[in-house]
């Protein structure tokens, strides 16, 4: 997987959250399965914090508000996360 492909997976998950943020709890997590690089969203109560094969980020750390008051993907945050893995 290339870095650009991984970044697109991150963006896609964040966009899914933005579209339907009410479907998740207040601490929704963006999770990455380390062995497959699968990216998915989960409620905080569904995440096993002791799992060694999954790392999670608070999805709100990957969004920012645009000048019109709408959520959008924080590209700098996506870059930072992708730098950790690729």
């Amino acid at each position: 997987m290339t870095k650009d492909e991984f970044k697109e997976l991150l963006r896609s998950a964040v966009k899914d959250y933005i579209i339907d943020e009410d479907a998740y709890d207040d601490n929704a997590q963006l999770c990455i399965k380390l062995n497959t690089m699968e990216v998915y969203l989960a409620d905080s109560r569904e995440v096993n914090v002791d799992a060694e094969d999954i790392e999670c980020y608070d999805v709100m750390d990957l969004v920012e508000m645009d000048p019109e008051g709408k959520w959008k993907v924080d590209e700098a945050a996506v870059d930072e996360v992708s730098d950790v893995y690729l």
Side-chain angles (χ1 to χ4, degrees), residues 2-81:
T2 68
K3 189 172 189 174
D4 286 338
E5 290 169 332
F6 183 63
K7 286 168 63 171
E8 189 53 40
L9 291 175
L10 296 172
R11 281 187 205 101
S12 179
V14 173
K15 287 176 185 176
D16 287 347
Y17 172 77
I18 291 169
I19 289 170
D20 196 14
E21 66 183 280
D22 292 332
Y24 300 94
D25 69 358
D26 289 341
N27 295 315
Q29 300 291 298
L30 181 136
C31 299
I32 302 166
K33 275 192 164 183
L34 299 176
N35 57 344
T36 63
M37 299 307 283
E38 176 188 352
V39 177
Y40 63 94
L41 294 169
D43 285 339
S44 60
R45 62 185 171 269
E46 297 172 353
V47 176
N48 179 359
V49 294
D50 295 325
E52 294 182 13
D53 64 332
I54 298 172
E55 290 191 6
C56 296
Y57 297 83
D58 186 339
V59 74
M60 290 304 293
D61 291 341
L62 298 163
V63 299
E64 64 183 349
M65 194 165 285
D66 68 14
E68 297 171 358
K70 295 183 182 188
W71 292 118
K72 69 175 190 169
V73 176
D74 183 341
E75 291 296 333
V78 167
D79 287 342
E80 286 179 26
V81 171

